[in-house]
Amino acid sequence: MIILNTQGVVLRTIKYNDNDLILTIFSRKYGKASVLAKGAQRQRSRFLPVSQIFSYNNYVLKKQKDMFTLSQGESIKSFYNISQDLESYAYTSFIAKLVENNIVEGQTNNRLFELFVKTLFLFSEQVEDKMFLLDIFLLKFIDYMGYRPDLSNCVSCGKKFPSYSYFSLEKGGVICGNCSDFEKNFVKLDKTTIELMQYILNNDIIDCNKAKVSPILVKELFFLLKRYLVAHFENVNFLPLDLLK
Protein backbone atom coordinates (compact mmCIF):
# COMPACT_ATOMS: atom_id res chain seq x y z
CA MET A 1 0.00 0.00 0.00
CA ILE A 2 1.21 3.52 -0.89
CA ILE A 3 0.34 6.40 1.46
CA LEU A 4 0.63 9.89 -0.04
CA ASN A 5 0.47 13.16 1.91
CA THR A 6 0.00 16.01 -0.54
CA GLN A 7 -1.74 19.24 -1.37
CA GLY A 8 -4.16 19.06 -4.25
CA VAL A 9 -6.87 20.84 -6.22
CA VAL A 10 -10.07 19.13 -7.39
CA LEU A 11 -10.33 19.35 -11.18
CA ARG A 12 -13.40 17.17 -11.68
CA THR A 13 -15.86 15.00 -9.77
CA ILE A 14 -17.84 11.95 -10.95
CA LYS A 15 -20.64 10.18 -9.07
CA TYR A 16 -19.51 6.63 -8.35
CA ASN A 17 -22.70 5.48 -6.62
CA ASP A 18 -25.33 7.01 -4.35
CA ASN A 19 -22.78 7.98 -1.69
CA ASP A 20 -19.29 8.01 -3.20
CA LEU A 21 -17.41 10.26 -5.61
CA ILE A 22 -14.39 9.79 -7.80
CA LEU A 23 -12.24 12.93 -7.72
CA THR A 24 -9.71 13.92 -10.34
CA ILE A 25 -7.07 15.82 -8.38
CA PHE A 26 -4.05 17.82 -9.48
CA SER A 27 -1.68 17.01 -6.63
CA ARG A 28 1.59 18.71 -5.80
CA LYS A 29 3.53 15.47 -5.21
CA TYR A 30 1.94 13.06 -7.70
CA GLY A 31 0.53 15.06 -10.59
CA LYS A 32 -2.89 13.86 -11.71
CA ALA A 33 -4.58 11.35 -9.41
CA SER A 34 -7.94 9.56 -9.42
CA VAL A 35 -9.26 9.36 -5.87
CA LEU A 36 -12.25 7.49 -4.46
CA ALA A 37 -13.93 9.63 -1.79
CA LYS A 38 -16.21 7.29 0.11
CA GLY A 39 -19.39 8.88 1.44
CA ALA A 40 -18.49 12.28 -0.02
CA GLN A 41 -22.03 12.82 -1.34
CA ARG A 42 -23.58 12.55 2.10
CA GLN A 43 -24.63 15.93 3.48
CA ARG A 44 -22.65 15.55 6.71
CA SER A 45 -19.66 13.77 5.23
CA ARG A 46 -16.25 14.87 6.54
CA PHE A 47 -15.04 14.62 2.93
CA LEU A 48 -17.68 16.97 1.51
CA PRO A 49 -15.60 20.21 1.80
CA VAL A 50 -12.49 18.63 0.25
CA SER A 51 -14.45 17.12 -2.65
CA GLN A 52 -15.77 20.38 -4.11
CA ILE A 53 -14.70 21.47 -7.58
CA PHE A 54 -11.67 23.84 -7.55
CA SER A 55 -11.17 23.39 -3.78
CA TYR A 56 -7.54 23.45 -2.58
CA ASN A 57 -6.85 20.96 0.18
CA ASN A 58 -4.41 18.83 2.16
CA TYR A 59 -4.93 15.13 1.48
CA VAL A 60 -3.84 11.81 2.88
CA LEU A 61 -4.34 9.25 0.11
CA LYS A 62 -3.96 5.47 0.23
CA LYS A 63 -3.31 3.60 -3.00
CA GLN A 64 -4.31 0.02 -3.62
CA LYS A 65 -4.13 -1.42 -7.12
CA ASP A 66 -4.92 1.38 -9.63
CA MET A 67 -6.73 4.00 -7.52
CA PHE A 68 -6.20 6.13 -4.48
CA THR A 69 -8.74 6.19 -1.66
CA LEU A 70 -9.22 9.38 0.34
CA SER A 71 -8.20 8.72 3.93
CA GLN A 72 -8.05 12.25 5.36
CA GLY A 73 -8.67 15.74 4.05
CA GLU A 74 -8.30 19.29 5.31
CA SER A 75 -9.50 22.38 3.47
CA ILE A 76 -6.97 25.12 2.66
CA LYS A 77 -9.14 27.30 0.40
CA SER A 78 -12.54 26.52 -1.11
CA PHE A 79 -12.56 29.15 -3.89
CA TYR A 80 -16.34 28.82 -3.63
CA ASN A 81 -17.04 32.32 -4.88
CA ILE A 82 -15.64 31.45 -8.33
CA SER A 83 -18.92 29.65 -9.01
CA GLN A 84 -20.85 32.83 -8.15
CA ASP A 85 -19.46 34.68 -11.19
CA LEU A 86 -20.29 33.25 -14.63
CA GLU A 87 -17.26 34.70 -16.40
CA SER A 88 -14.79 33.56 -13.72
CA TYR A 89 -16.38 30.09 -13.66
CA ALA A 90 -16.16 29.74 -17.45
CA TYR A 91 -12.49 30.76 -17.58
CA THR A 92 -11.60 28.57 -14.61
CA SER A 93 -13.45 25.57 -16.05
CA PHE A 94 -11.52 25.96 -19.29
CA ILE A 95 -8.23 26.18 -17.41
CA ALA A 96 -9.02 23.16 -15.22
CA LYS A 97 -9.88 21.02 -18.25
CA LEU A 98 -6.73 22.16 -20.05
CA VAL A 99 -4.63 21.18 -17.03
CA GLU A 100 -6.41 17.85 -16.60
CA ASN A 101 -5.88 16.90 -20.25
CA ASN A 102 -2.16 17.65 -20.17
CA ILE A 103 -0.81 16.53 -16.80
CA VAL A 104 0.19 12.92 -16.18
CA GLU A 105 -0.42 10.56 -13.31
CA GLY A 106 2.70 10.17 -11.18
CA GLN A 107 4.51 13.08 -12.84
CA THR A 108 4.93 16.26 -10.78
CA ASN A 109 4.98 19.80 -12.16
CA ASN A 110 5.42 22.11 -9.19
CA ARG A 111 5.64 25.31 -11.23
CA LEU A 112 2.34 24.53 -12.95
CA PHE A 113 0.74 23.55 -9.64
CA GLU A 114 1.75 26.88 -8.06
CA LEU A 115 0.55 28.76 -11.14
CA PHE A 116 -2.82 26.98 -11.06
CA VAL A 117 -3.41 27.72 -7.38
CA LYS A 118 -2.45 31.38 -7.82
CA THR A 119 -4.79 31.63 -10.82
CA LEU A 120 -7.68 30.22 -8.81
CA PHE A 121 -6.92 32.72 -6.06
CA LEU A 122 -6.97 35.64 -8.50
CA PHE A 123 -10.21 34.51 -10.15
CA SER A 124 -11.78 34.19 -6.70
CA GLU A 125 -11.02 37.87 -6.11
CA GLN A 126 -12.63 40.76 -8.00
CA VAL A 127 -10.35 40.73 -11.04
CA GLU A 128 -10.73 43.75 -13.30
CA ASP A 129 -9.64 42.07 -16.56
CA LYS A 130 -10.42 38.36 -16.47
CA MET A 131 -9.46 37.78 -20.09
CA PHE A 132 -6.00 39.24 -19.49
CA LEU A 133 -5.62 36.93 -16.49
CA LEU A 134 -6.53 34.05 -18.79
CA ASP A 135 -3.84 35.21 -21.24
CA ILE A 136 -1.24 35.28 -18.47
CA PHE A 137 -2.11 31.76 -17.34
CA LEU A 138 -2.11 30.34 -20.87
CA LEU A 139 1.29 31.79 -21.79
CA LYS A 140 2.85 30.52 -18.56
CA PHE A 141 1.11 27.15 -18.99
CA ILE A 142 2.65 26.83 -22.45
CA ASP A 143 6.06 27.68 -20.95
CA TYR A 144 5.77 25.21 -18.05
CA MET A 145 4.68 22.44 -20.39
CA GLY A 146 7.91 22.82 -22.37
CA TYR A 147 6.80 25.04 -25.27
CA ARG A 148 8.22 28.41 -24.16
CA PRO A 149 8.12 30.71 -27.21
CA ASP A 150 11.36 32.23 -28.49
CA LEU A 151 10.79 35.99 -28.61
CA SER A 152 14.31 37.42 -28.85
CA ASN A 153 15.37 36.79 -32.44
CA CYS A 154 13.99 35.30 -35.63
CA VAL A 155 13.87 31.55 -35.06
CA SER A 156 14.71 30.97 -38.73
CA CYS A 157 17.61 33.34 -39.48
CA GLY A 158 18.55 34.79 -36.08
CA LYS A 159 17.81 38.39 -37.02
CA LYS A 160 16.67 40.65 -34.18
CA PHE A 161 12.95 41.31 -34.61
CA PRO A 162 11.90 44.69 -36.13
CA SER A 163 9.05 46.98 -35.06
CA TYR A 164 6.59 44.31 -36.15
CA SER A 165 7.13 40.61 -36.57
CA TYR A 166 5.43 37.36 -37.29
CA PHE A 167 5.03 34.40 -34.95
CA SER A 168 5.57 30.91 -36.36
CA LEU A 169 3.08 28.56 -34.73
CA GLU A 170 5.06 25.54 -35.93
CA LYS A 171 8.51 26.72 -34.77
CA GLY A 172 7.23 28.44 -31.63
CA GLY A 173 8.88 31.82 -32.01
CA VAL A 174 9.09 35.14 -33.83
CA ILE A 175 10.19 35.29 -37.45
CA CYS A 176 11.14 38.30 -39.53
CA GLY A 177 9.32 39.51 -42.60
CA ASN A 178 11.73 37.82 -44.99
CA CYS A 179 11.42 34.41 -43.36
CA SER A 180 7.64 34.69 -43.18
CA ASP A 181 7.55 34.09 -46.93
CA PHE A 182 8.57 30.48 -46.21
CA GLU A 183 6.10 29.90 -43.37
CA LYS A 184 2.60 28.51 -43.82
CA ASN A 185 1.22 28.85 -40.30
CA PHE A 186 2.01 32.20 -38.68
CA VAL A 187 0.39 35.17 -36.97
CA LYS A 188 1.40 38.81 -37.47
CA LEU A 189 2.18 40.53 -34.18
CA ASP A 190 2.85 44.08 -33.08
CA LYS A 191 6.11 44.72 -31.21
CA THR A 192 4.09 45.76 -28.14
CA THR A 193 2.44 42.33 -27.99
CA ILE A 194 5.84 40.64 -28.11
CA GLU A 195 7.09 42.88 -25.30
CA LEU A 196 3.97 42.02 -23.26
CA MET A 197 4.66 38.31 -23.75
CA GLN A 198 8.26 38.79 -22.58
CA TYR A 199 7.03 40.62 -19.48
CA ILE A 200 4.56 37.83 -18.64
CA LEU A 201 7.17 35.10 -19.10
CA ASN A 202 9.66 36.86 -16.84
CA ASN A 203 7.34 37.83 -13.97
CA ASP A 204 5.03 36.18 -11.45
CA ILE A 205 1.32 35.96 -12.34
CA ILE A 206 0.36 38.03 -9.27
CA ASP A 207 2.54 40.92 -10.47
CA CYS A 208 1.49 40.54 -14.12
CA ASN A 209 -2.17 40.75 -13.15
CA LYS A 210 -1.59 44.26 -11.78
CA ALA A 211 -0.57 45.60 -15.19
CA LYS A 212 -2.99 47.75 -17.16
CA VAL A 213 -3.20 46.44 -20.72
CA SER A 214 -5.34 47.66 -23.59
CA PRO A 215 -8.22 45.39 -24.69
CA ILE A 216 -6.76 45.29 -28.21
CA LEU A 217 -3.51 43.75 -26.94
CA VAL A 218 -5.41 41.32 -24.70
CA LYS A 219 -7.48 40.07 -27.64
CA GLU A 220 -4.49 39.86 -29.99
CA LEU A 221 -2.54 37.84 -27.44
CA PHE A 222 -5.47 35.49 -26.83
CA PHE A 223 -5.87 34.94 -30.59
CA LEU A 224 -2.21 33.93 -30.79
CA LEU A 225 -2.30 31.70 -27.69
CA LYS A 226 -5.46 29.96 -28.86
CA ARG A 227 -3.85 29.02 -32.17
CA TYR A 228 -0.59 28.06 -30.45
CA LEU A 229 -2.44 25.71 -28.08
CA VAL A 230 -4.26 24.04 -30.97
CA ALA A 231 -0.96 23.60 -32.84
CA HIS A 232 0.92 21.91 -29.97
CA PHE A 233 -1.60 20.40 -27.55
CA GLU A 234 -4.25 17.73 -27.99
CA ASN A 235 -7.79 17.80 -26.60
CA VAL A 236 -7.99 21.58 -26.13
CA ASN A 237 -11.67 22.18 -25.38
CA PHE A 238 -12.84 25.76 -25.88
CA LEU A 239 -16.48 24.90 -25.14
CA PRO A 240 -16.63 26.75 -21.75
CA LEU A 241 -15.41 29.92 -23.48
CA ASP A 242 -17.80 29.47 -26.41
CA LEU A 243 -20.71 29.06 -24.00
CA LEU A 244 -19.68 32.28 -22.29
CA LYS A 245 -20.08 34.15 -25.57
Side-chain angles (χ1 to χ4, degrees), residues 2-237:
I2 298 174
I3 299 178
L4 179 66
N5 291 272
T6 184
Q7 294 179 347
V9 178
V10 179
L11 300 175
R12 182 163 56 99
T13 65
I14 299 175
K15 290 184 178 181
Y16 184 64
N17 53 37
D18 290 340
N19 296 315
D20 307 336
L21 290 173
I22 294 179
L23 313 178
T24 301
I25 292 174
F26 183 14
S27 69
R28 183 186 290 276
K29 293 184 178 180
Y30 192 78
K32 182 163 61 175
S34 295
V35 180
L36 176 62
K38 294 183 177 180
Q41 294 192 75
R42 296 193 185 107
Q43 190 171 4
R44 296 184 180 180
S45 171
R46 62 192 175 103
F47 293 148
L48 183 61
V50 298
S51 301
Q52 301 303 304
I53 191 75
F54 306 142
S55 62
Y56 175 37
N57 313 291
N58 284 315
Y59 292 108
V60 178
L61 308 175
K62 294 181 179 180
K63 188 174 186 181
Q64 291 179 311
K65 297 182 179 179
D66 296 329
M67 184 175 289
F68 285 101
T69 299
L70 180 57
S71 177
Q72 297 178 43
E74 180 184 10
S75 177
I76 300 173
K77 185 76 173 175
S78 71
F79 298 122
Y80 175 77
N81 52 342
I82 288 178
S83 63
Q84 305 302 301
D85 180 85
L86 179 61
E87 189 177 7
S88 293
Y89 186 79
Y91 286 145
T92 308
S93 297
F94 169 73
I95 288 170
K97 194 63 178 177
L98 181 66
V99 168
E100 180 187 351
N101 286 344
N102 288 280
I103 57 175
V104 179
E105 183 174 348
Q107 182 175 316
T108 61
N109 190 330
N110 283 324
R111 291 200 303 168
L112 181 58
F113 183 84
E114 291 284 348
L115 174 68
F116 186 48
V117 171
K118 288 179 180 179
T119 303
L120 290 174
F121 169 77
L122 290 170
F123 272 116
S124 70
E125 302 295 309
Q126 292 187 351
V127 181
E128 290 187 15
D129 193 339
K130 296 181 178 68
M131 190 170 186
F132 179 51
L133 178 56
L134 176 65
D135 283 350
I136 300 169
F137 174 86
L138 293 179
L139 183 54
K140 288 186 168 294
F141 169 83
I142 289 168
D143 179 16
Y144 297 166
M145 292 300 294
Y147 293 90
R148 183 185 180 96
D150 188 342
L151 304 172
S152 299
N153 302 290
C154 175
V155 292
S156 291
C157 70
K159 178 182 178 181
K160 187 175 179 62
F161 68 83
S163 58
Y164 64 89
S165 296
Y166 303 85
F167 188 93
S168 169
L169 297 168
E170 180 180 348
K171 295 179 179 177
V174 291
I175 51 174
C176 64
N178 292 333
C179 292
S180 68
D181 294 335
F182 305 98
E183 292 287 331
K184 295 181 180 179
N185 197 11
F186 64 87
V187 176
K188 186 176 179 180
L189 291 180
D190 186 87
K191 181 181 179 181
T192 309
T193 305
I194 298 172
E195 291 172 344
L196 176 61
M197 293 172 70
Q198 291 173 323
Y199 174 78
I200 292 171
L201 289 169
N202 293 324
N203 290 276
D204 185 80
I205 190 171
I206 303 271
D207 296 325
C208 292
N209 185 61
K210 298 175 183 177
K212 304 296 182 182
V213 181
S214 76
I216 294 175
L217 285 180
V218 171
K219 290 180 180 179
E220 181 174 280
L221 180 54
F222 177 72
F223 176 75
L224 167 65
L225 295 174
K226 184 176 181 179
R227 292 190 61 183
Y228 195 39
L229 285 168
V230 171
H232 292 278
F233 295 86
E234 296 181 358
N235 300 320
V236 182
N237 182 11

